[in-house]
Amino acid sequence: MAAAAASPRDPHGRKRKCRPGACSGWVSPRRFPAAVCTSMDCYTANWNPLGDSAFYRKYELYSMDWDLKEELRDCLVAAAPYGGPIALLRNPWRKEKAASVRPVLDIYSASGMPLASLLWKSGPVVSLGWSAEEELLCVQEDGAVLVYGLHGDFRRHFSMGNEVLQNRVLDARIFHTEFGSGVAILTGAHRFTLSANVGDLKLRRMPEVPGLQSAPSCWTVLCQDRVAHILLAVGPDLYLLDHAACSAVTPPGLAPGVSSFLQMAVSFTYRHLALFTDTGYIWMGTASLKEKLCEFNCNIRAAPKQMVWCSRPRSKERAVVVAWERRLMVVGDAPESIQFVLDEDSYLVPELDGVRIFSRSTHEFLHEVPAASEEIFKIASMAPGALLLEAQKEYEAASFGKCFLDRFPPDSFVRMCQDLRVLNAIRDYHIGIPLTYSQYKQLTIQVLLDRLVLRRLYPLAIQICEYLRLPEVQGVSRILAHWACYKVQQKDVSDEDVARAINQKLGDTPGVSYSDIAARAYGCGRTELAIKLLEYEPRSGEQVPLLLKMKRSKLALSKAIESGDTDLVFTVLLHLKNELNRGDFFMTLRNQPMALSLYRQFCKHQELETLKDLYNQDDNHQELGSFHIRASYAAEERIEGRVAALQTAADAFYKAKNEFAAKATEDQMRLLRLQRRLEDELGGQFLDLSLHDTVTTLILGGHNKRAEQLARDFRIPDKRLWWLKLTALADLEDWEELEKFSKSKKSPIGYLPFVEICIKQHNKYEAKKYASRVSPEQKVKALLLVGDVAQAADVAIEHRNEAELSLVLSHCTGATDGATADKIQRARAQAQKK
Amino acid sequence: MAAHLSYGRVNLNVLREAVRRELREFLDKCAGSKAIVWDEYLTGPFGLIAQYSLLKEHEVEKMFTLKGSRLPAADVKNVIFFVRPRLELMDIIAENVLSEDRRGPARDFHILFVPRRSLLCEQRLKDLGVLGSFIHREEYSLDLIPFDGDLLSMESECAFKECYLEGDQTSLYHAAKGLMTLQALYGTIPQIFGKGECARQVANMMIRMKREFTGSQNSIFPVFDNLLLLDRNVDLLTPLATQLTYEGLIDEIYGIQNSYVKLPPEKFAPKKQGDGGKDLPTEAKKLQLNSAEELYAEIRDKNFNAVGSVLSKKAKIISAAFEERHNAKTVGEIKQFVSQLPHMQAARGSLANHTSIAELIKDVTTSEDFFDKLTVEQEFMSGIDTDKVNNYIEDCIAQKHSLIKVLRLVCLQSVCNSGLKQKVLDYYKREILQTYGYEHILTLHNLEKAGLLKPQTGGRNNYPTIRKTLRLWMDDVNEQNPTDISYVYSGYAPLSVRLAQLLSRPGWRSIEEVLRILPGPHFEERQPLPTGLQKKRQPGENRVTLVFFLGGVTFAEIAALRFLSQLEDGGTEYVIATTKLMNGTSWIEALMEKPF
């Protein structure tokens, strides 16, 4: 799909008069149906046919706003493609030092609005050109390339090689490839040097052209298979230079009699090449020089000022526009050419789908009328050309027409209308970006927005984003962020004001990264501003690293803590630990309890000694006590060491006023020493047994005396001691000793446990001995345990206890206890009667 | 595969699908064959998200457990470490990478941090000189894992200990992140309520994170009406008591891990005649427990005393269904019977399993010791004799019953008495140290720090006030057809769930006084919604409340909340989230410290 630019209105909205050029062989467009033609002839009046199949038209984009005093021919001129800016270097060849005649570099928009103006104070400039990022590259005679921004701000510079210093640069070209923008220079030694991408500068010196004594009559950069070549003409010969070799080439079907090539032109996409010879003959073919497309003899032998291709993507028509001082000629595969008279000194800018032509007073666009436009007369045509040619009327027609097409999806219509509005908006005189639809689609909306941002046209960019409903992150937010980054560079405004202005404008706009803006501010040396901006950054993950980078670690710490992101806190902590001396570090921690706990955690696993220091600093004796207890188990092997560690722990517990822990620790020290002695004297394993188990082990080993002693020394409560002995003796199956023990005094735990433990050891006989001594309230249970169901029933009946009766009953099994069961039932029945 | 997640009011399968997608996307980033090296702790939770088949579909050919020295040989293009962001694990990974055999085929290394990437860990890897060896270093934000149609857990074992003992809020940060993920999928939750210090912090983080995320305006219609954040230390009592629901008891006795339980195999041996049972299986029987199983969904939340009757009723229905085959006369009838067979057989298998489990549990619950323990617990909870040394506890210590059991009881007594008299506390502690060993002094310190064990200060016992106001003890409990949440503990109504219940009706204003006694602030926050997303409730439509237990939740509490959800005039349905599914035993265990 291709389309021409919108209707030829000037920026002020006045309809300009059509200005048909002087054409040779002008014919009225005969292929249109007569009826429609009458209503449309206003639009087709400036259509000029070239051959049988194509029309070319030229219309005005702007009347230029600049007030140029010089002729263009007295300036170095560079205009960026895609409706880009125009740079003029006035007086480029004056060598005098006087300020009044020093060269002046002016930058204008395509509509001639001044963007920047500066006195040129550097060396003589050979050539100007724009990069794809709309940076102005100024190639100096000494091989230095100075890079300026759209607003005349100096960005950087680089050199095209030392060799150039002596030989000077004779000529230079700035060219664009898919990798970016390149520079090619021709030196005084008639050698070429080339860099394919100024963003990633790699200089390539091209091979020598054998026997080249003078500068080539013309040359150009070709780009084939992603490699840049140079094509140059010396007399009747053409040479192709690649990085390895220089080879002579001959265009197929070139007319004889050529003694010199005066001009050559490569198409926008590097696909085609045109050669202008001293015989006034133009050869047109592929850039590979393998195929001739057509030729034309214009019979003008003077070297043209400029020659550029004029074709549109996906069109079969090939045409070249050739400009002399006062004459413009469109030639193609046709016996006739289209000719225009140039009123003024003009400059040609090749575009993707046509040629822009500007002079001191006007800016025009010349292009092939797209095939689609020829179809606009079809009813309800949705051809974009139709829309673009006469947006207003066609819009109405289309929106009217689409009502009749019930299956026509409205999306593309809506999208087209939106695009048209955008194109109209940016073409506005004040903005001055005259893009055609194809150019716009090729450029993409993202790049267009970037260009608006580059021109600091933030409000328009935002309006477009909102109008097209672009996602905020890609659209509005990005633009606001750019604006903010521009804002922080305004050094004459105070930090306070900049921060406030930015926050007012950006607020909480989604997708705006305050930390990116802050980073930019920091990059400009405005740390305080950066910190102020970071205050607005809600994402601590972004905030903290930058604060660290700016050496505001303590602020970073409190921000990290605020976020709750412990990993972030750790990161700052480790940073602080390296940055501060230990004392300061600890003090910082002290004021941040959350950080302190985290750091303690870290130390627990990584730096135990530091943990101790931390506790010491905080006088946290309780934790110090625990710390030494752990140490007594982990670090110490020898008993003395362990006891010493425990002593330290006990002291700490006293300081912590934890009497219980201190005493328990002292007991443990006593126990440890004792266990060591027991091991020495009795053999076996005692260390690290609990007191309870130590006593048990002694009993099991038959050391009852020692066991008693130990129990007394450590004041084991009577009840537990009885359980302990009971369990140990039963384990030993020392029934005799158990019985003796049971009779030693009245059991503090009763006698049911004796019964239970005997049963557990499967000794019913022993169990029975104790059953009789069990207290009345537990008697039934005991009797059941020893299997005396009948007696259990008697006791239960005597107790008149319903729960006990049920319990006994549940133990009555079938035949054997039948009588008992009956007895219980009778007792129950009796109880119920009463 | 996970249909049970979508039965509830909130379709949690959406969350599961989202995390599965994230996992697949990561796996596809590492093109070619892969081996996964697992942080062992992660395998359980991952099992709930993706089976091996999913990994296999994405060219995972080998799986290893993360351990030191050299990685096992595997002819794969990628080696991916799935790890939690912990320094000690970074050391092991570095060891793995450094000892990689350079002569073998070169393998690409990647790390997937679960649930979050960590600068600290990356710094450690950098210090160890291996950071550059990893091509992809990404995070897999698996915070909340769907366990059931109404249940999410972070399965973060140490969350309670870290928050309440060590002042480490990492798990709270993850909780807040998890809630943000949930809101991204289910809409902004308009109201947040909370009680407790950690709850406050999580809410603060959420509000803060919401500001960070302003970029993506959430346009999802909110599914949850309320979020209730509850600190575990607001209710230290509930987990200490023995759970008496079916699921609770399975967990108390056998421990449920990532929805699986391992049971003694004897009861599950296939019954064969004449076998004499000599080939008893020795490997534990592993069963998955979730509401995908119809029968389990029905009985899991019942008081165990009500399970038997359901099981026998089911048994009758199933055998009647099988008897139907005799009535099937025509070909059509037989065909219909056969078509129902698989479902019937599954039901019969399920019934057999749960009958076996119920028998196993019954053996425990009918034991005298279980009865004695329960009696003591219930005495404490109803406020009887909480201020003096308890005989049963003393006997348990003297007989060296498991220390955890003793600690649970002592802590329970302490909590039910708002702390123990110094003399009583010291007595218990001394008994424990003498019997179980001095080293447990560290554990006791931990319990004291967590507030589970403490001396009574000010000589005032607040528990009776709390108990009466919140009606924590109900004398007339109906275990078969419950009318109140107290059925889950046969008398005790879990405090945490009571708070949730009172919040929904009549509101917390009625219990301000008790809220002030309980630790930590209580608060309410609103998250404004764009007008288009504000809900117009239909009459009779229930609200959905997400209750987030910070520090863990028990199955009995979950059962109680489900009971409230099912109440006909309840007005609120609950979805439960937690840092960890736990019970008193696993809780105390996590707080224990063994220095050797």
Side-chain angles (χ1 to χ4, degrees):
Chain A
M1 184 166 74
S7 77
R9 281 170 184 273
D10 79 2
H12 308 293
R14 296 184 304 262
K15 189 93 186 168
R16 284 253 167 183
K17 192 178 61 159
C18 297
R19 285 211 278 169
C23 347
S24 70
W26 190 90
V27 229
S28 75
R30 51 184 184 269
R31 284 191 301 158
F32 297 117
V36 184
C37 200
T38 49
S39 66
M40 298 299 284
D41 56 5
C42 172
Y43 308 108
T44 53
N46 61 348
W47 290 23
N48 305 291
L50 186 70
D52 291 337
S53 56
F55 293 89
Y56 286 79
R57 69 168 184 152
K58 182 163 77 91
Y59 61 85
E60 187 175 278
L61 294 168
Y62 303 108
S63 67
M64 293 302 271
D65 192 51
W66 57 19
D67 204 10
L68 277 190
K69 294 186 182 62
E70 292 80 1
E71 288 291 332
L72 284 178
R73 71 171 80 85
D74 296 329
C75 303
L76 268 180
V77 184
Y82 292 100
I86 302 168
L88 295 180
L89 187 64
R90 288 182 274 143
N91 311 325
W93 301 284
R94 298 285 183 83
K95 295 263 162 89
E96 302 95 5
K97 292 273 189 257
S100 57
V101 285
R102 266 210 195 137
V104 178
L105 178 65
D106 289 311
I107 300 174
Y108 300 93
S109 75
S111 58
M113 296 278 284
L115 293 174
S117 176
L118 55 133
L119 266 184
W120 189 258
K121 291 177 183 167
S122 285
V125 176
V126 175
S127 179
L128 296 176
W130 291 94
S131 75
E133 291 81 34
E134 297 199 318
E135 284 178 326
L136 182 64
L137 308 176
C138 310
V139 186
Q140 293 194 146
E141 206 176 65
D142 59 1
V145 180
L146 277 55
V147 185
Y148 286 86
L150 196 64
H151 296 278
D153 44 322
F154 177 73
R155 294 276 169 87
R156 61 181 192 280
H157 70 96
F158 56 89
S159 162
M160 289 303 288
N162 290 333
E163 173 230 15
V164 190
L165 277 175
Q166 302 154 10
N167 297 320
R168 309 270 116 184
V169 177
L170 288 185
D171 195 6
R173 295 284 148 82
I174 281 87
F175 59 97
H176 307 281
T177 68
E178 54 198 287
F179 310 114
S181 306
V183 178
I185 55 163
L186 169 66
T187 69
H190 311 305
R191 293 288 298 269
F192 289 93
T193 300
L194 173 156
S195 164
N197 182 2
V198 293
D200 173 26
L201 196 70
K202 280 188 200 111
L203 292 180
R204 238 171 54 207
R205 198 160 174 230
M206 305 305 268
E208 212 169 341
V209 182
L212 185 61
Q213 292 304 323
S214 60
S217 57
C218 58
W219 62 281
T220 192
V221 180
L222 296 179
C223 207
Q224 277 165 353
D225 303 330
R226 305 169 145 228
V227 185
H229 306 275
I230 283 172
L231 181 71
L232 66 147
V234 184
D237 303 319
L238 287 174
Y239 297 97
L240 190 64
L241 286 178
D242 59 24
H243 58 280
C246 167
S247 41
V249 284
T250 318
L254 186 73
V258 174
S259 56
S260 175
F261 294 91
L262 300 182
Q263 190 66 268
M264 53 177 76
V266 195
S267 67
F268 204 78
T269 53
Y270 292 100
R271 296 249 288 281
H272 302 116
L273 177 72
L275 301 165
F276 189 97
T277 70
D278 57 346
T279 52
Y281 164 87
I282 302 171
W283 180 92
M284 285 172 266
T286 58
S288 59
L289 287 165
K290 290 208 171 93
E291 198 186 326
K292 182 168 93 169
L293 292 171
C294 56
E295 58 186 13
F296 185 83
N297 212 324
C298 68
N299 296 321
I300 301 174
R301 284 161 182 266
K305 263 183 64 190
Q306 268 184 297
M307 176 168 77
V308 299
W309 280 86
C310 178
S311 56
R312 63 170 55 251
R314 281 177 293 278
S315 161
K316 287 202 192 80
E317 300 303 322
R318 316 277 169 226
V320 166
V321 180
V322 195
W324 291 267
E325 280 300 317
R326 286 279 175 263
R327 194 203 296 260
L328 193 71
M329 193 183 276
V330 184
V331 303
D333 190 10
E336 308 275 357
S337 67
I338 307 168
Q339 295 199 26
F340 299 93
V341 169
L342 293 175
D343 301 334
E344 290 177 291
D345 192 12
S346 296
Y347 188 83
L348 308 187
V349 189
E351 289 281 7
L352 176 72
D353 54 353
V355 179
R356 282 191 290 132
I357 304 159
F358 64 84
S359 65
R360 277 200 339 187
S361 61
T362 64
H363 196 152
E364 295 176 305
F365 189 59
L366 168 67
H367 71 138
E368 178 201 342
V369 177
S373 284
E374 297 173 19
E375 295 167 20
I376 58 170
F377 307 108
K378 289 175 186 167
I379 289 168
S381 165
M382 269 309 300
L387 290 160
L388 282 157
L389 182 68
E390 223 310 289
Q392 190 88 43
K393 269 193 185 151
E394 247 49 58
Y395 166 77
E396 281 162 11
S399 55
F400 175 71
K402 78 180 165 59
C403 302
F404 296 96
L405 299 166
D406 40 344
R407 268 177 309 167
F408 180 76
D411 314 12
S412 61
F413 175 73
V414 171
R415 215 174 307 125
M416 181 59 70
C417 294
Q418 287 177 340
D419 288 339
L420 278 177
R421 279 201 66 174
V422 170
L423 289 177
N424 262 327
I426 56 166
R427 159 170 316 180
D428 184 279
Y429 189 75
H430 296 94
I431 311 299
I433 305 179
L435 281 187
T436 65
Y437 184 80
S438 335
Q439 290 167 20
Y440 168 62
K441 286 289 143 183
Q442 180 74 22
L443 198 63
T444 72
I445 182 69
Q446 292 305 335
V447 177
L448 175 62
L449 288 174
D450 283 344
R451 298 203 159 177
L452 292 176
V453 163
L454 213 57
R455 284 162 176 75
R456 296 177 195 154
L457 296 167
Y458 304 107
L460 176 66
I462 288 172
Q463 274 171 7
I464 290 180
C465 292
E466 285 169 349
Y467 176 65
L468 295 179
R469 302 221 176 104
L470 294 182
E472 281 188 313
V473 178
Q474 293 170 34
V476 175
S477 307
R478 205 166 55 104
I479 287 152
L480 282 175
H482 276 295
W483 167 78
C485 288
Y486 162 64
K487 194 83 190 162
V488 298
Q489 293 167 38
Q490 293 181 344
K491 302 219 166 159
D492 46 333
V493 187
S494 79
D495 292 344
E496 205 73 51
D497 292 346
V498 173
R500 199 174 323 113
I502 289 178
N503 182 241
Q504 255 167 25
K505 194 81 80 186
L506 271 64
D508 284 339
T509 309
V512 167
S513 164
Y514 276 99
S515 51
D516 284 355
I517 304 165
R520 179 68 67 93
Y522 177 61
C524 301
R526 298 182 76 169
T527 310
E528 284 310 314
L529 175 58
I531 291 170
K532 284 202 170 64
L533 287 169
L534 276 180
E535 280 297 318
Y536 300 117
E537 172 62 66
R539 292 167 304 163
S540 348
E542 304 289 321
Q543 208 174 28
V544 170
L546 187 60
L547 284 172
L548 285 181
K549 204 167 141 194
M550 298 193 300
K551 307 230 180 306
R552 300 297 161 115
S553 322
K554 287 184 190 174
L555 188 57
L557 182 61
S558 52
K559 291 287 169 205
I561 290 171
E562 241 170 65
S563 77
D565 183 346
T566 45
D567 182 54
L568 212 52
V569 179
F570 270 128
T571 308
V572 181
L573 280 179
L574 294 192
H575 201 94
L576 275 172
K577 190 181 153 205
N578 292 331
E579 196 180 271
L580 303 175
N581 66 43
R582 206 171 157 89
D584 289 348
F585 179 52
F586 279 16
M587 275 315 289
T588 311
L589 285 179
R590 213 172 171 167
N591 300 324
Q592 299 280 12
M594 185 239 192
L596 180 59
S597 339
L598 282 180
Y599 190 61
R600 273 199 211 114
Q601 280 298 96
F602 174 79
C603 291
K604 209 177 247 175
H605 297 116
Q606 307 285 333
E607 292 176 23
L608 268 182
E609 277 307 300
T610 315
L611 184 63
K612 192 170 76 185
D613 298 344
L614 282 170
Y615 289 143
N616 262 321
Q617 181 194 257
D618 295 346
D619 292 329
N620 192 339
H621 298 295
Q622 172 69 26
E623 287 299 339
L624 270 175
S626 298
F627 179 87
H628 289 294
I629 292 176
R630 277 183 212 110
S632 85
Y633 285 102
E636 293 290 346
E637 291 274 321
R638 294 172 8 261
I639 197 85
E640 295 78 17
R642 292 184 57 176
V643 170
L646 287 178
Q647 183 62 59
T648 326
D651 294 346
F653 286 133
Y654 275 121
K655 279 189 198 151
K657 300 211 164 42
N658 189 340
E659 200 90 357
F660 174 85
K663 287 256 153 58
T665 308
E666 283 170 349
D667 278 352
Q668 175 65 8
M669 289 156 60
R670 209 144 53 93
L671 181 64
L672 271 180
R673 289 202 194 96
L674 220 135
Q675 287 172 331
R676 159 52 35 96
R677 219 170 47 236
L678 288 175
E679 282 188 2
D680 289 348
E681 290 171 17
L682 308 175
Q685 190 83 49
F686 282 97
L687 271 179
D688 284 328
L689 290 184
S690 71
L691 175 65
H692 192 94
D693 292 347
T694 311
V695 177
T696 305
T697 312
L698 284 172
I699 295 175
L700 290 176
H703 309 287
N704 287 340
K705 278 268 158 52
R706 288 209 185 220
E708 292 286 347
Q709 184 63 42
L710 204 59
R712 257 198 311 281
D713 285 355
F714 285 89
R715 291 184 289 123
I716 294 184
D718 226 17
K719 272 165 87 176
R720 180 151 56 83
L721 190 60
W722 272 70
W723 273 110
L724 187 160
K725 278 194 177 172
L726 170 68
T727 316
L729 291 174
D731 273 353
L732 281 174
E733 302 194 31
D734 189 346
W735 307 115
E736 201 179 320
E737 190 64 33
L738 183 66
E739 196 172 349
K740 240 167 58 194
F741 168 58
S742 79
K743 287 173 179 162
S744 61
K745 66 175 195 182
K746 187 172 181 289
S747 162
I749 56 173
Y751 293 93
L752 185 61
F754 283 76
V755 179
E756 283 172 332
I757 207 141
C758 294
I759 294 295
K760 213 166 134 197
Q761 299 285 354
H762 308 292
N763 194 333
K764 214 181 233 178
Y765 173 76
E766 286 293 330
K768 279 185 175 161
K769 285 184 186 168
Y770 304 101
S772 57
R773 297 165 70 183
V774 171
S775 64
E777 59 270 22
Q778 293 183 313
K779 196 130 215 175
V780 172
K781 231 179 187 177
L783 289 168
L784 286 175
L785 275 172
V786 299
D788 195 341
V789 184
Q791 211 191 328
D794 289 346
V795 176
I797 291 167
E798 194 184 316
H799 286 173
R800 293 183 187 159
N801 183 323
E802 178 54 36
E804 286 183 358
L805 286 171
S806 322
L807 186 67
V808 179
L809 203 58
S810 72
H811 277 75
C812 291
T813 48
T816 50
D817 303 319
T820 315
D822 290 348
K823 202 166 156 189
I824 293 171
Q825 298 294 15
R826 275 202 305 277
R828 266 187 170 174
Q830 228 168 17
Q832 259 159 17
K833 262 186 214 160
K834 283 174 189 171
Chain B
M1 213 49 209
H4 61 290
L5 296 179
S6 53
Y7 294 155
R9 175 76 183 275
V10 177
N11 183 356
L12 294 182
N13 233 347
V14 173
L15 173 63
R16 186 171 183 266
E17 281 311 316
V19 287
R20 278 165 70 92
R21 198 181 323 120
E22 206 185 322
L23 180 63
R24 282 195 290 254
E25 278 166 11
F26 172 76
L27 288 173
D28 288 342
K29 265 188 206 167
C30 314
S33 56
K34 311 167 183 61
I36 294 180
V37 184
W38 288 97
D39 170 353
E40 207 166 10
Y41 185 81
L42 291 176
T43 51
F46 258 82
L48 295 165
I49 296 302
Q51 277 76 21
Y52 183 52
S53 57
L54 180 140
L55 300 177
K56 218 168 167 182
E57 277 166 31
H58 295 267
E59 296 179 83
V60 175
E61 291 175 1
K62 289 268 166 51
M63 310 239 263
F64 307 116
T65 303
L66 182 65
K67 50 176 183 266
S69 78
R70 183 176 292 184
L71 284 172
D75 185 21
V76 289
K77 210 182 151 289
N78 302 282
V79 176
I80 313 175
F81 295 91
F82 278 40
V83 287
R84 287 167 297 162
R86 291 177 172 239
L87 288 180
E88 61 273 20
L89 298 179
M90 296 307 112
D91 295 348
I92 301 178
I93 291 178
E95 201 181 328
N96 281 174
V97 172
L98 290 172
S99 55
E100 174 81 351
D101 194 347
R102 306 259 165 249
R103 287 162 300 172
R107 304 191 281 190
D108 289 345
F109 292 109
H110 315 277
I111 292 190
L112 189 64
F113 288 109
V114 185
R116 211 131 279 119
R117 232 174 121 162
S118 148
L119 293 166
L120 187 68
C121 287
E122 296 192 349
Q123 184 61 43
R124 169 59 65 99
L125 290 173
K126 197 172 171 190
D127 294 344
L128 294 167
V130 294
L131 188 69
S133 310
F134 298 98
I135 295 175
H136 290 296
R137 291 194 311 272
E138 307 222 346
E139 65 182 24
Y140 182 49
S141 34
L142 185 64
D143 293 303
L144 286 166
I145 304 158
F147 269 66
D148 223 312
D150 57 356
L151 181 58
L152 300 158
S153 171
M154 291 163 58
E155 284 308 285
S156 158
E157 202 155 36
C158 315
F160 181 85
K161 188 179 180 190
E162 285 173 358
C163 291
Y164 297 98
L165 249 62
E166 295 165 341
D168 177 349
Q169 307 178 344
T170 308
S171 55
L172 298 183
Y173 183 72
H174 293 334
K177 282 274 188 186
L179 282 165
M180 296 314 287
T181 310
L182 220 53
Q183 291 188 91
L185 294 170
Y186 298 100
T188 305
I189 307 177
Q191 267 187 307
I192 305 175
F193 298 91
K195 171 70 186 164
E197 208 58 65
C198 294
R200 179 70 265 183
Q201 296 205 21
V202 170
N204 287 349
M205 287 183 214
M206 282 173 71
I207 292 162
R208 201 190 150 78
M209 286 172 186
K210 189 159 184 259
R211 270 208 297 145
E212 296 195 9
F213 286 141
T214 41
S216 43
Q217 189 59 252
N218 193 337
S219 57
I220 296 170
F221 205 81
V223 175
F224 296 104
D225 298 285
N226 301 311
L227 166 65
L228 169 59
L229 294 160
L230 279 179
D231 274 34
R232 187 71 268 174
N233 80 341
V234 170
D235 172 15
L236 293 170
L237 194 164
T238 304
L240 292 170
T242 304
Q243 312 171 65
L244 296 176
T245 58
Y246 180 53
E247 188 167 38
L249 276 167
I250 298 177
D251 188 38
E252 292 278 349
I253 299 169
Y254 297 107
I256 301 175
Q257 294 284 345
N258 296 308
S259 84
Y260 283 91
V261 67
K262 283 182 183 162
L263 297 160
E266 298 80 19
K267 289 260 185 194
F268 298 91
K271 287 194 185 96
K272 273 185 219 153
Q273 248 108 47
D275 213 15
K278 53 180 185 242
D279 289 327
L280 280 179
T282 48
E283 208 171 295
K285 170 92 174 172
K286 199 175 170 188
L287 280 178
Q288 185 167 25
L289 299 175
N290 60 36
S291 52
E293 190 183 348
E294 208 177 303
L295 176 61
Y296 188 64
E298 189 179 339
I299 57 174
R300 66 195 300 185
D301 299 318
K302 287 198 184 306
N303 186 295
F304 182 63
N305 284 335
V307 168
S309 59
V310 176
L311 289 179
S312 59
K313 211 183 297 163
K314 283 277 148 165
K316 275 181 207 136
I317 294 171
I318 289 175
S319 54
F322 274 96
E323 284 308 308
E324 279 291 306
R325 71 179 185 274
H326 300 302
N327 303 333
K329 297 276 165 11
T330 66
V331 174
E333 280 165 2
I334 293 171
K335 201 171 162 192
Q336 201 196 338
F337 177 81
V338 170
S339 73
Q340 285 167 353
L341 258 183
H343 180 249
M344 283 162 61
Q345 273 161 345
R348 189 162 65 177
S350 160
L351 180 66
N353 280 339
H354 288 290
T355 309
S356 303
I357 298 174
E359 279 168 14
L360 284 168
I361 291 175
K362 199 156 188 232
D363 289 348
V364 176
T365 54
T366 51
S367 73
E368 203 172 325
D369 188 59
F370 186 86
F371 180 78
D372 291 346
K373 182 178 76 167
L374 208 60
T375 308
V376 171
E377 283 184 9
Q378 301 207 334
E379 279 174 10
F380 287 159
M381 291 191 289
S382 52
I384 301 167
D385 286 343
T386 52
D387 57 347
K388 51 187 180 215
V389 173
N390 181 282
N391 271 332
Y392 175 72
I393 299 180
E394 246 184 323
D395 286 354
C396 285
I397 298 174
Q399 295 173 69
K400 270 195 101 174
H401 283 195
S402 102
L403 175 58
I404 292 183
K405 173 185 172 185
V406 169
L407 291 174
R408 267 178 86 162
L409 285 169
V410 175
C411 290
L412 183 68
Q413 187 179 355
S414 169
V415 173
C416 289
N417 199 51
S418 306
L420 296 168
K421 280 185 195 146
Q422 192 69 51
K423 219 178 79 190
V424 177
L425 178 63
D426 285 357
Y427 177 78
Y428 278 135
K429 278 160 65 178
R430 202 173 123 85
E431 284 292 279
I432 289 168
L433 294 188
Q434 285 199 350
T435 308
Y436 297 94
Y438 166 78
E439 67 272 16
H440 295 294
I441 194 168
L442 297 174
T443 299
L444 293 177
H445 283 166
N446 285 348
L447 295 175
E448 287 180 67
K449 255 205 253 175
L452 281 163
L453 200 57
K454 62 179 184 186
Q456 204 178 64
T457 45
R460 216 182 115 69
N461 181 1
N462 285 322
Y463 178 68
T465 316
I466 301 172
R467 188 185 70 229
K468 281 172 205 149
T469 316
L470 299 182
R471 294 182 300 122
L472 297 186
W473 185 260
M474 308 292 277
D475 280 319
D476 50 342
V477 59
N478 185 342
E479 292 170 346
Q480 304 291 330
N481 295 300
T483 51
D484 181 71
I485 54 168
S486 55
Y487 85 92
V488 297
Y489 287 98
S490 294
Y492 166 72
L495 193 161
S496 56
V497 181
R498 200 60 109 195
L499 286 180
Q501 187 184 13
L502 288 167
L503 174 68
S504 102
R505 197 174 289 167
W508 275 358
R509 206 156 294 165
S510 61
I511 50 162
E512 283 280 342
E513 212 161 304
V514 169
L515 285 174
R516 268 198 297 277
I517 299 174
L518 295 170
H522 56 283
F523 60 89
E524 180 185 343
E525 295 281 353
R526 275 168 200 279
Q527 303 199 88
L529 291 173
T531 36
L533 295 180
Q534 279 163 14
K535 211 179 213 172
K536 287 175 202 74
R537 204 185 313 285
Q538 306 294 320
E541 191 191 342
N542 284 343
R543 277 174 299 191
V544 181
T545 297
L546 175 65
V547 188
F548 202 127
F549 289 86
L550 300 164
V553 69
T554 64
F555 286 107
E557 288 172 298
I558 295 168
L561 282 169
R562 284 184 183 144
F563 169 78
L564 291 178
S565 293
Q566 282 156 14
L567 277 185
E568 243 170 58
D569 53 351
T572 306
E573 285 177 56
Y574 294 94
V575 174
I576 302 126
T578 184
T579 50
K580 176 87 178 93
L581 293 168
M582 58 139 183
N583 58 44
T585 301
S586 63
W587 190 30
I588 298 286
E589 210 164 17
L591 292 172
M592 287 176 72
E593 188 174 340
K594 298 177 194 88
F596 66 91

